[in-house]
Amino acid sequence: MQGISLSLLTQLGIRYPIFLAPMAGITTPVLASRVSEAGGLGALGLGAGDPFQAEAAIRATQQLTSQPFQVNFFCHRSTPLDPAKSRAWCEYLSAHFAQFEQAVPAQLLSPYASFTDSPELLDVILATRPAVVSFHFGLPPKSILQVLQRAKIPYWVSVTRLSEALYAQQQGCSAIIAQGIEAGGHRATFDPLCDAGLSTRELLQQLAPQISLPIISAGGVMTGGQINQLLTQGASAAQLGTAFMACRESAASDQLRQRLSTAKSTQITDVISGRPARGVIGRWQQEIDSPIRPPHAGYPYSYALAKQLDKIACAQGVTDYQVCWAGTGVTALRPLDASPLMQTLIAELQ
Ligand SMILES: Cc1cc2nc3c(=O)[nH]c(=O)nc-3n(C[C@H](O)[C@H](O)[C@H](O)COP(=O)(O)O)c2cc1C
């Protein structure tokens, strides 16, 4: 392992450069604690919940382990709903609702707030003091970062290109998560319309000589051998999401596990949530993301509609609209629980 790698691990007080990716709707206190107990860094994806849910999850994890773990929030720039776009998007999806004899909603609401607009989430962090807080889609304003600095709570942000990494460095992040195009879930780009589309390896190659912070590589990493390669190329650790989705300790439903186990390939689309995200190809990618579709209703308003359609469909036994975020490595998914998966990754790493 590289010197810089040891220094990040030493800072955190953990043994292995194997980090669980925070995944909203998938990571659980049990999953996070198992990874941390095995010597990696556990994580909670708390971006889609409210402050009460966030506090409950952090405290539950702290009950399960005294080892460090990461908590994660979405930091998108909130935009007001565009009523005309929203109506057009609802109308476009109305036939899909109609097949279940349901009317499409007349208007859309945001299903969750950005961290920046929710001071209660900052209070939760200050009250619970997780080892690290990380952000997706950008960083909160300086005033919030200064509160974290004063409280001595380190913060990280996911980046997808050099300019975002340089900004993160300037804003006092203590490490950066370098997310390649192979990654499952949402692209971390600060601006959803501006994506350099760099692979995990290309991004690391660009960042390693320019960035003095520890780099945590994410995207398409499924084995200890791949982690080793990234460490050799300058990463301090790797963050794995898809690899942990099938663990019994994750919150994935039986239907989702079924989709993951039979997945052949993934694709990025912005029609589900309103921001580009990679998932297993299904009806959203094949049919709804048509070249002649209207513009979607924006993030996270479109997501509210997608979640409603999936709920209605599932209630009638149809899983076609299920959102199955996953990275390009999904076909290499190993159906192991968290502790044996960690042991396997550690053995491969050594
Ligand atoms: C199901 C799923 C949900 C995700 N949710 C989040 C999230 O809430 N916050 C976040 O920062 N990243 C999220 N991500 C992205 C991961 O942090 C990470 O970039 C990605 O999982 C790495 O690629 P991999 O899935 O190929 O390992 C999610 C990824 C997946 C697969």
Side-chain angles (χ1 to χ4, degrees):
M1 287 179 220
Q2 311 289 295
I4 194 165
S5 158
L6 288 176
S7 77
L8 176 67
L9 301 187
T10 309
Q11 270 172 41
L12 290 165
I14 64 170
R15 286 186 71 186
Y16 301 109
I18 306 170
F19 295 3
L20 168 66
M23 294 180 279
I26 296 291
T27 44
T28 61
V30 179
L31 179 59
S33 64
R34 293 270 155 83
V35 172
S36 293
E37 286 289 307
L41 187 71
L44 295 172
L46 303 173
D50 62 32
F52 298 103
Q53 291 164 326
E55 177 159 6
I58 298 171
R59 294 214 187 274
T61 312
Q62 287 170 335
Q63 293 277 313
L64 293 168
T65 182
S66 57
Q67 298 302 310
F69 60 91
Q70 169 194 176
V71 305
N72 170 269
F73 298 95
F74 299 139
C75 215
H76 50 284
R77 198 174 298 156
S78 305
T79 47
L81 179 77
D82 177 331
K85 262 193 187 171
S86 160
R87 266 195 304 276
W89 189 242
C90 288
E91 203 179 303
Y92 176 63
L93 286 176
S94 60
H96 297 272
F97 280 80
Q99 65 180 313
F100 304 111
E101 289 166 11
Q102 297 282 332
V104 72
Q107 211 39 286
L108 298 177
L109 293 173
S110 169
Y112 44 76
S114 169
F115 181 87
T116 300
D117 303 328
S118 184
E120 299 83 3
L121 287 174
L122 181 61
D123 293 341
V124 168
I125 292 176
L126 296 175
T128 54
R129 300 196 57 85
V132 179
V133 53
S134 70
F135 298 105
H136 212 56
F137 308 142
L139 276 165
K142 190 115 206 151
S143 53
I144 295 182
L145 297 180
Q146 282 168 343
V147 175
L148 293 174
Q149 281 164 8
R150 278 197 296 273
K152 299 203 174 353
I153 298 175
Y155 50 88
W156 302 343
V157 66
S158 299
V159 303
T160 58
R161 58 196 163 108
L162 180 59
S163 59
E164 291 170 347
L166 290 169
Y167 178 76
Q169 188 162 267
Q170 190 202 3
Q171 294 300 304
C173 288
S174 52
I176 53 163
I177 302 155
Q179 189 202 45
I181 195 78
E182 300 93 327
H186 282 93
R187 296 288 293 141
T189 48
F190 289 24
D191 177 348
L193 299 177
C194 194
D195 193 342
L198 300 171
S199 71
T200 303
R201 199 167 159 212
E202 276 174 319
L203 181 60
L204 178 59
Q205 274 168 353
Q206 285 193 15
L207 301 190
Q210 305 263 11
I211 299 292
S212 55
L213 297 174
I215 301 170
I216 302 148
S217 280
V221 185
M222 304 298 285
T223 66
Q226 288 171 302
I227 300 174
N228 244 336
Q229 277 174 13
L230 292 165
L231 297 181
T232 326
Q233 288 156 11
S236 293
Q239 188 151 285
L240 288 66
T242 303
F244 284 95
M245 286 182 75
C247 297
R248 208 167 10 165
E249 298 89 342
S250 91
S253 65
D254 291 345
Q255 294 99 321
L256 196 61
R257 288 167 195 273
Q258 176 65 19
R259 289 263 318 267
L260 288 167
S261 66
T262 54
K264 301 248 174 326
S265 56
T266 61
Q267 191 189 301
I268 296 179
T269 181
D270 62 358
V271 293
I272 298 174
S273 73
R275 280 188 82 115
R278 184 180 291 284
V280 175
I281 297 183
R283 203 144 174 193
W284 289 99
Q285 290 85 354
Q286 267 171 353
E287 189 184 323
I288 297 171
D289 193 358
S290 145
I292 53 162
R293 67 174 170 83
H296 56 68
Y299 179 87
Y301 305 105
S302 297
Y303 213 178
L305 194 62
K307 284 173 192 251
Q308 261 174 288
L309 180 53
D310 176 37
K311 197 167 165 199
I312 290 166
C314 277
Q316 300 193 25
V318 177
T319 53
D320 297 9
Y321 296 96
Q322 195 179 39
V323 178
C324 184
W325 302 134
T328 54
V330 69
T331 49
L333 194 75
R334 295 180 279 202
L336 294 173
D337 291 344
S339 305
L341 178 56
M342 280 299 291
Q343 278 155 23
T344 307
L345 291 168
I346 293 164
E348 290 169 345
L349 190 67
Q350 287 165 347

